[in-house]
Amino acid sequence: MRTSLAVFALAQIALFSWAPVSASETFSTEKYAGRVVVLDFWASWCVPCRRSFPWLNTMHEKYADDGLVIIGVNLDMERADAERFLQEYPASFAILYDDKQELARQFEVVAMPSSYVIGRDGQVIARHMGFKVKQQDEYEALLVEALRDLRQEDAVG
């Protein structure tokens, strides 16, 4: 699925800080060609999101140097709600606001959180609805496999 996403000019800043940015400029998966991207849709009222953020932080810290990009996409109607959530559950990965729900509609988000793993070719390779602590190893194994494919491509190419 080639997807044009509404997102960020300030992505590099957001990757080093949890300071959220508005989903206001055009972003395409082509920008991340050759990298594995996790788009994680979340909201402040989502209880499983509180459990997923520490795991996402760990994945970001563990695999960013291997080509993993994690982007949290907030769907709160009020930005202040998201900011309060981030005070309590800080993110070491990029945070975007999808205040117009455009990105959520493109990905047909129906549950919180919903995560989409996008392979190095820009195609969605996995979708997870909800977050279950007992499945963290399974989620990580999927990322490792996608990143392994990336490393093998680098070794060959």
Side-chain angles (χ1 to χ4, degrees), residues 8 11 14-15 32 35-42 52-64 67-73 91-96 115-116 143:
F8 54 108
L15 288 172
Y32 294 101
R35 300 174 87 186
V36 174
V37 178
V38 175
L39 283 180
D40 182 71
F41 292 87
W42 64 279
S52 70
F53 264 55
W55 181 82
L56 289 166
N57 284 333
T58 299
M59 294 301 99
H60 171 73
E61 292 163 17
K62 195 170 180 179
Y63 298 112
L68 180 66
V69 176
I70 298 177
I71 303 169
V73 182
S92 62
F93 48 89
I95 297 292
L96 306 172
S115 295
Y116 298 80
L143 296 179

Side-chain angles (χ1 to χ4, degrees), residues 16-44:
F16 298 105
S17 163
W18 63 267
V21 295
S22 292
S24 60
E25 295 193 23
T26 300
F27 163 82
S28 69
T29 55
E30 286 82 23
K31 178 176 181 171
Y32 294 101
R35 300 174 87 186
V36 174
V37 178
V38 175
L39 283 180
D40 182 71
F41 292 87
W42 64 279
S44 62

